[in-house]
Amino acid sequence: GGGNMAAAGREEPPLGLEVVAEEAAAAAASAGFRLTAVRREPAVRLQHGASGLEPLAWSEDHRVSVSTARSIAVLEQLSDVHSGGQDMVIHRTAVPAPGAACTLKVGPKKEVAECKEKFASSVDPTVSQMFMLDRVFNPEGKSLTPMRGFKYSSWSPLGCDANGRCLLAALTMDNRLTIHANLSRLQWVQLVDLTELYGERLFEASYRLCKADTPCGELGDFPEFQRRHSMQAPVRMEWSGICTTQQVKHNNECRDVGSVLLAVLFENGNIAVWQFQLPFLGKESITSCNTIESGISSPSVLSWWEYEHNNRKMSGLIVGSAYGPVKIIPVNLKAVKGYFTLRQPVVLWQEMDQLPVHSIKCIPLYHPYQKCSCSLVVAARGPYVFWCLLLISKAGLNVHNSHVTGLHSLPIVSMTADKQNGTVYTCSSDGKVRQLIPIFTDVALKFEHQLIKLSEVFGCVRTHGIAVSPCGAYLAVITTEGMANGLHPINKNYQVQFVTLKTFEEAAAQLLESSVQNLFRQVDLTDLVRWKILKDKHIPQFLQEALDKKIESCGSTYFWRFKLFLLRILYQSMQKAPSEVTWRPSHEDAKILISDSPGMGSTEDDQDEGTSKQASKQSLGDTGKGVDIDDNAEDSLHQSSDTGGREPMVEKLLEIQAQIEAVEMHLTREHMKRVLGEVYLHTWITENTSIPTRGVCDFLMSNDGYDDRTARVLIGHILKKMNKQTFPEHCRLCKEILPFTDRKQAVCSNGHIWLRCFLTYQSCQSFVYRRCLLHDSIARHPTPEDPEWIKRLLQGPCTFCDSPVF
């Protein structure tokens, strides 16, 4: 450690990624680790200091939120198949803090102003000082600095916003709780202000929770003034999993509607449980709001307990206190199918031992000895980890609990858990992270733990928060400079840095055995695989063989998409890196006609594409031409062949390109069969749906080499149903017929080109359409006259990369 500090004090050339990785590996081997933490570039510099408790959170759709003093920085991790750079690809946005301070609604404005004046100038110092120094009463500060920044942020599960992604609940330092969605990829929109809504509810109920409550006192009494503030000042908020509710329609039919709950813990120990209908669009999506009294004084933290036992779902809220106790509060959910709750609260830890509960995580696990599901609750209490195993047996609810001590010499500042295998990570401010792996014993469990010294990866640092990625591949850490030569740094630079927690082999194995079978939901794992292939410039033999075996033995298109992903990355790794900066205009190139450059057969299209090769590559990547980057391959091939001796490379690239084309074709055909299946099921008469059915059938049958019995039978049935009708698509500009010759675009006889929607294969003849996250394909917007089944098809993810469509 001392050597490291000294080194950090001297100015040294920055180490390369490989050197850092080797050093970390050597250090790990010497410490007898099983976990090798390797630095992953880039580190993201924050514009403002981190703020609040647990400032870092990682969503299920691969976005990291960082609470800072001016905004919530959101870093979205993409596994980009079109970039050959080895660094992580991060798309950055921000949720700005509101400009005006938030004042809680505790009564009529005029009355509140009078009371504030009265308390501020009170002769009783206990009243005047408490009033002046309380940040809930005085968020904008007056004599104190104003409260800026965020206290906490929390991600909803996947599937809650209009694009089927995660919502972000944000709590500012001055108690404003809002919900935001990122619908256009660049900007965040505030959907609702819950603090304002809850304040109005309380005002209407004259600050009583139920009718039987005693009438509340006068606002002019200081205790009543305090009570009204503390009953609506949020401490934390957490999302439940998605549950199903039944909605009765006008014709008395029941339909299942997805909903999600947001529990908000207030200073006085009350919990408001908001229920939202999905997709959440704003105020109109709020179904209900119930307030529960937890009876916990000085509450500090909250977590959902969701447990499944014999197909019955149990739910409750785990609440921790700044004085030490932890308990589960029952939650009665009206209209939620299949949910049950506890009859009375369950105390997990009752000692008022003054060890504040800082963070709680609840992890569902399977008990190998008891052969049933169980819940592991872990809570950070000072420097210790409190754990509790909950298990429902014939005898009722079994609760085992204990503490893990000796992990950290300083209090735990942040804790995160990998929900997939139950591994917990804790960190203290001195840069020490502990990995705790639960191991079941006959009765309860024990933890095996090991130390990850971040100083061996990043040099001497202080840590402010950690979060683990959804599939456990990476750990994100907020760091600032540590001490150098025994002195504190003059300036603090806040950075989000990334560390690998898995090896390439582990990530590949997890992707092959995946139960979710969706590449987008495993971006952190695919990113590790991408990094390895770009470094080695080949796909490891074991992965290729295992994947081919999977493709042979199982009909899932997921493995084909995985294969396409690997081939595209391999293709990128073979590309020659551009020797010049792509965004800078080059004056020399512009003078050379492409047809003059040696080794290139020029077509008129090439000349239209723009003379600079780099520019053409850029434009293909960025415009909505729907042309894959692969179509640009030959340019780079011929360029590389000019230098001589590059022929084998050209051959190799053409071979990979042919493989990519074959896999894409297979995926297209499989999706076409799905679409035709839907058409066959849902069109009772031979009406014109917005799907070019005849064109898709002809396209599938056009290749003699493609012989698929299912497709033949299905097409036979559909053509019988359609009789001799064709319903061709017409070009909107010249009314000519649009033939179906290409799966990506439609070209009419007058040369008008329209892109095809990859979900319905209809030509997109409007200027607005949607694109998938990795710019792989485009899709049209659903129209009001589309039947339900077409709207459902249009909600699908990209058929090549699984990413959602915007």
Side-chain angles (χ1 to χ4, degrees), residues 90-284:
I90 289 172
H91 179 248
R92 187 170 175 166
T93 48
V95 181
C102 167
T103 41
L104 301 176
K105 190 173 177 69
V106 290
K109 267 192 180 161
K110 191 174 171 215
E111 197 182 333
V112 172
E114 287 167 7
C115 291
K116 284 189 168 183
E117 193 64 42
K118 174 180 143 189
F119 298 139
S121 56
S122 168
V123 283
D124 183 352
T126 55
V127 173
S128 58
Q129 285 188 12
M130 264 177 89
F131 174 78
M132 294 305 284
L133 296 176
D134 194 310
R135 300 318 306 260
V136 180
F137 306 148
N138 293 306
E140 65 281 347
K142 301 285 191 289
S143 53
L144 309 163
T145 51
M147 294 286 274
R148 293 292 299 270
F150 286 87
K151 196 189 291 190
Y152 190 64
S153 69
S154 172
W155 289 100
S156 78
L158 199 60
C160 290
D161 76 358
N163 290 327
R165 300 192 71 187
C166 301
L167 296 164
L168 181 64
L171 176 61
T172 60
M173 284 288 192
D174 59 6
N175 300 305
R176 190 193 301 271
L177 172 58
T178 48
I179 295 177
H180 302 260
N182 170 216
L183 299 170
S184 65
R185 290 225 46 225
L186 293 175
Q187 115 195 70
W188 286 82
V189 185
Q190 180 182 309
L191 297 178
V192 70
D193 181 337
L194 291 180
T195 298
E196 191 185 325
L197 290 184
Y198 195 67
E200 282 167 12
R201 278 170 177 258
L202 286 175
F203 181 69
E204 282 160 20
S206 54
Y207 301 93
R208 292 185 299 178
L209 288 178
C210 59
K211 300 279 183 284
D213 277 9
T214 51
C216 58
E218 290 300 311
L219 190 58
D221 301 338
F222 194 56
E224 174 63 19
F225 187 79
Q226 280 174 307
R227 184 186 82 89
R228 290 190 192 182
H229 276 92
S230 75
M231 73 193 295
Q232 52 179 318
V235 179
R236 288 277 177 106
M237 65 286 169
E238 294 296 343
W239 297 89
S240 73
I242 291 178
C243 43
T244 316
T245 52
Q246 281 200 331
Q247 194 185 47
V248 182
K249 299 203 308 205
H250 298 303
N251 57 359
N252 279 346
E253 257 183 51
C254 277
R255 74 178 188 126
D256 287 351
V257 178
S259 67
V260 70
L261 306 164
L262 179 69
V264 185
L265 177 66
F266 295 105
E267 273 185 8
N268 68 345
N270 288 349
I271 302 167
V273 180
W274 294 87
Q275 187 176 2
F276 305 126
Q277 192 175 316
L278 299 180
F280 182 75
L281 306 169
K283 218 184 232 180
E284 66 275 18

Side-chain angles (χ1 to χ4, degrees), residues 354-368:
Q354 308 300 318
L355 278 178
V357 184
H358 170 81
S359 173
I360 295 178
K361 298 278 177 267
C362 180
I363 307 155
L365 293 174
Y366 179 77
H367 201 303

Side-chain angles (χ1 to χ4, degrees), residues 47 57 61 84 125 171 193 274 323 362 431 474 578 602 609 689 778 781:
Q47 287 157 321
D61 61 356
L171 176 61
D193 181 337
W274 294 87
Y323 297 136
C362 180
Y474 289 116
S602 157
E609 278 298 337
T689 66
I778 69 152
H781 283 279

Side-chain angles (χ1 to χ4, degrees), residues 587-729:
H587 301 293
E588 294 75 30
D589 274 14
K591 298 187 186 97
I592 303 169
L593 269 173
I594 293 187
S595 52
D596 300 344
S597 59
M600 283 209 61
S602 157
T603 60
E604 287 168 37
D605 296 358
D606 281 345
Q607 292 181 358
D608 294 346
E609 278 298 337
T611 36
S612 153
K613 281 284 145 262
Q614 305 301 347
S616 76
K617 186 156 195 174
Q618 200 64 354
S619 69
L620 283 175
D622 295 343
T623 54
K625 287 264 173 76
V627 186
D628 266 357
I629 300 282
D630 310 335
D631 300 350
N632 209 38
E634 274 128 89
D635 306 2
S636 52
L637 307 190
H638 290 297
Q639 279 180 320
S640 61
S641 64
D642 298 345
T643 54
R646 285 316 252 313
E647 287 308 321
M649 186 62 143
V650 176
E651 289 297 312
K652 183 93 176 122
L653 273 168
L654 286 170
E655 185 192 322
I656 297 169
Q657 211 179 337
Q659 284 179 296
I660 287 174
E661 186 56 38
V663 177
E664 282 190 1
M665 198 58 174
H666 174 84
L667 286 167
T668 302
R669 284 177 178 147
E670 287 302 303
H671 184 65
M672 280 180 171
K673 274 159 51 181
R674 210 185 122 215
V675 171
L676 289 178
E678 292 283 331
V679 169
Y680 181 67
L681 282 179
H682 291 97
T683 47
W684 308 123
I685 47 166
T686 53
E687 74 210 15
N688 181 16
T689 66
S690 58
I691 286 177
T693 311
R694 173 78 63 165
V696 172
C697 293
D698 293 349
F699 183 81
L700 269 180
M701 292 287 97
S702 61
N703 185 352
D704 303 331
Y706 175 65
D707 187 33
D708 183 322
R709 192 166 171 276
T710 352
R712 271 213 321 270
V713 172
L714 183 61
I715 288 170
H717 284 313
I718 285 176
L719 295 184
K720 201 183 285 175
K721 215 178 202 186
M722 284 180 76
N723 211 343
K724 289 197 171 68
Q725 292 160 304
T726 52
F727 300 123
E729 283 189 287

